[in-house]
PDB file of all heavy atoms in Angstrom:
ATOM      1  N   LEU A  73      92.781 105.903  89.257  1.00  0.00           N
ATOM      2  CA  LEU A  73      91.715 104.927  89.003  1.00  0.00           C
ATOM      3  C   LEU A  73      92.160 103.689  88.360  1.00  0.00           C
ATOM      4  O   LEU A  73      91.795 102.550  88.664  1.00  0.00           O
ATOM      5  CB  LEU A  73      90.470 105.606  88.194  1.00  0.00           C
ATOM      6  CG  LEU A  73      89.782 106.618  89.034  1.00  0.00           C
ATOM      7  CD1 LEU A  73      88.772 107.317  88.168  1.00  0.00           C
ATOM      8  CD2 LEU A  73      89.085 105.981  90.189  1.00  0.00           C
ATOM      9  N   LEU A  74      93.190 103.726  87.497  1.00  0.00           N
ATOM     10  CA  LEU A  74      93.831 102.586  86.931  1.00  0.00           C
ATOM     11  C   LEU A  74      94.527 101.793  87.971  1.00  0.00           C
ATOM     12  O   LEU A  74      94.376 100.538  87.943  1.00  0.00           O
ATOM     13  CB  LEU A  74      94.806 103.013  85.728  1.00  0.00           C
ATOM     14  CG  LEU A  74      94.148 103.465  84.509  1.00  0.00           C
ATOM     15  CD1 LEU A  74      95.273 104.044  83.526  1.00  0.00           C
ATOM     16  CD2 LEU A  74      93.374 102.349  83.792  1.00  0.00           C
ATOM     17  N   VAL A  75      95.289 102.421  88.742  1.00  0.00           N
ATOM     18  CA  VAL A  75      95.955 101.727  89.865  1.00  0.00           C
ATOM     19  C   VAL A  75      94.923 101.068  90.773  1.00  0.00           C
ATOM     20  O   VAL A  75      95.208  99.893  91.221  1.00  0.00           O
ATOM     21  CB  VAL A  75      96.899 102.728  90.593  1.00  0.00           C
ATOM     22  CG1 VAL A  75      97.403 102.005  91.947  1.00  0.00           C
ATOM     23  CG2 VAL A  75      98.127 103.056  89.845  1.00  0.00           C
ATOM     24  N   PHE A  76      93.994 101.787  91.100  1.00  0.00           N
ATOM     25  CA  PHE A  76      92.887 101.256  91.990  1.00  0.00           C
ATOM     26  C   PHE A  76      92.205  99.988  91.346  1.00  0.00           C
ATOM     27  O   PHE A  76      92.019  99.061  92.086  1.00  0.00           O
ATOM     28  CB  PHE A  76      91.778 102.381  92.291  1.00  0.00           C
ATOM     29  CG  PHE A  76      90.761 101.786  93.205  1.00  0.00           C
ATOM     30  CD1 PHE A  76      90.998 101.639  94.552  1.00  0.00           C
ATOM     31  CD2 PHE A  76      89.498 101.364  92.691  1.00  0.00           C
ATOM     32  CE1 PHE A  76      89.943 101.202  95.381  1.00  0.00           C
ATOM     33  CE2 PHE A  76      88.568 100.851  93.479  1.00  0.00           C
ATOM     34  CZ  PHE A  76      88.790 100.728  94.857  1.00  0.00           C
ATOM     35  N   ALA A  77      91.965 100.080  90.110  1.00  0.00           N
ATOM     36  CA  ALA A  77      91.297  98.925  89.433  1.00  0.00           C
ATOM     37  C   ALA A  77      92.271  97.736  89.418  1.00  0.00           C
ATOM     38  O   ALA A  77      91.665  96.578  89.771  1.00  0.00           O
ATOM     39  CB  ALA A  77      91.017  99.271  87.873  1.00  0.00           C
ATOM     40  N   VAL A  78      93.481  97.828  89.271  1.00  0.00           N
ATOM     41  CA  VAL A  78      94.404  96.705  89.393  1.00  0.00           C
ATOM     42  C   VAL A  78      94.403  96.259  90.837  1.00  0.00           C
ATOM     43  O   VAL A  78      94.423  95.046  91.036  1.00  0.00           O
ATOM     44  CB  VAL A  78      95.867  97.121  88.878  1.00  0.00           C
ATOM     45  CG1 VAL A  78      96.839  96.086  89.224  1.00  0.00           C
ATOM     46  CG2 VAL A  78      95.733  97.363  87.280  1.00  0.00           C
ATOM     47  N   PHE A  79      94.543  97.157  91.772  1.00  0.00           N
ATOM     48  CA  PHE A  79      94.509  96.844  93.257  1.00  0.00           C
ATOM     49  C   PHE A  79      93.259  96.014  93.574  1.00  0.00           C
ATOM     50  O   PHE A  79      93.356  94.997  94.236  1.00  0.00           O
ATOM     51  CB  PHE A  79      94.667  98.115  93.973  1.00  0.00           C
ATOM     52  CG  PHE A  79      94.505  97.845  95.403  1.00  0.00           C
ATOM     53  CD1 PHE A  79      95.492  97.472  96.219  1.00  0.00           C
ATOM     54  CD2 PHE A  79      93.237  98.045  96.003  1.00  0.00           C
ATOM     55  CE1 PHE A  79      95.345  97.249  97.632  1.00  0.00           C
ATOM     56  CE2 PHE A  79      93.009  97.918  97.471  1.00  0.00           C
ATOM     57  CZ  PHE A  79      94.096  97.502  98.132  1.00  0.00           C
ATOM     58  N   ALA A  80      92.041  96.547  93.159  1.00  0.00           N
ATOM     59  CA  ALA A  80      90.801  95.945  93.472  1.00  0.00           C
ATOM     60  C   ALA A  80      90.792  94.497  93.016  1.00  0.00           C
ATOM     61  O   ALA A  80      90.271  93.600  93.674  1.00  0.00           O
ATOM     62  CB  ALA A  80      89.666  96.793  92.876  1.00  0.00           C
ATOM     63  N   VAL A  81      91.173  94.250  91.835  1.00  0.00           N
ATOM     64  CA  VAL A  81      91.142  93.003  91.192  1.00  0.00           C
ATOM     65  C   VAL A  81      92.226  92.111  91.735  1.00  0.00           C
ATOM     66  O   VAL A  81      91.937  90.923  92.208  1.00  0.00           O
ATOM     67  CB  VAL A  81      91.199  92.942  89.560  1.00  0.00           C
ATOM     68  CG1 VAL A  81      91.349  91.584  88.957  1.00  0.00           C
ATOM     69  CG2 VAL A  81      89.996  93.759  89.053  1.00  0.00           C
ATOM     70  N   ALA A  82      93.493  92.557  91.768  1.00  0.00           N
ATOM     71  CA  ALA A  82      94.618  91.687  92.139  1.00  0.00           C
ATOM     72  C   ALA A  82      94.848  91.449  93.618  1.00  0.00           C
ATOM     73  O   ALA A  82      95.029  90.233  94.049  1.00  0.00           O
ATOM     74  CB  ALA A  82      95.881  92.206  91.555  1.00  0.00           C
ATOM     75  N   TRP A  83      94.530  92.485  94.448  1.00  0.00           N
ATOM     76  CA  TRP A  83      94.805  92.402  95.859  1.00  0.00           C
ATOM     77  C   TRP A  83      93.527  92.086  96.687  1.00  0.00           C
ATOM     78  O   TRP A  83      93.493  91.292  97.561  1.00  0.00           O
ATOM     79  CB  TRP A  83      95.376  93.677  96.403  1.00  0.00           C
ATOM     80  CG  TRP A  83      95.689  93.733  97.872  1.00  0.00           C
ATOM     81  CD1 TRP A  83      94.943  94.287  98.879  1.00  0.00           C
ATOM     82  CD2 TRP A  83      96.859  93.036  98.507  1.00  0.00           C
ATOM     83  NE1 TRP A  83      95.552  93.965 100.063  1.00  0.00           N
ATOM     84  CE2 TRP A  83      96.736  93.344  99.841  1.00  0.00           C
ATOM     85  CE3 TRP A  83      97.906  92.364  97.974  1.00  0.00           C
ATOM     86  CZ2 TRP A  83      97.648  92.848 100.731  1.00  0.00           C
ATOM     87  CZ3 TRP A  83      98.853  91.897  98.944  1.00  0.00           C
ATOM     88  CH2 TRP A  83      98.759  92.064 100.264  1.00  0.00           C
ATOM     89  N   MET A  84      92.434  92.709  96.326  1.00  0.00           N
ATOM     90  CA  MET A  84      91.165  92.674  97.074  1.00  0.00           C
ATOM     91  C   MET A  84      90.256  91.537  96.467  1.00  0.00           C
ATOM     92  O   MET A  84      89.210  91.193  97.077  1.00  0.00           O
ATOM     93  CB  MET A  84      90.372  93.966  97.115  1.00  0.00           C
ATOM     94  CG  MET A  84      91.253  94.976  97.815  1.00  0.00           C
ATOM     95  SD  MET A  84      91.455  94.796  99.607  1.00  0.00           S
ATOM     96  CE  MET A  84      89.875  94.960 100.199  1.00  0.00           C
TER      97      MET A  84
END
Side-chain angles (χ1 to χ4, degrees):
L73 290 172
L74 289 172
V75 167
F76 180 80
V78 171
F79 171 84
V81 171
W83 182 259
M84 298 296 287

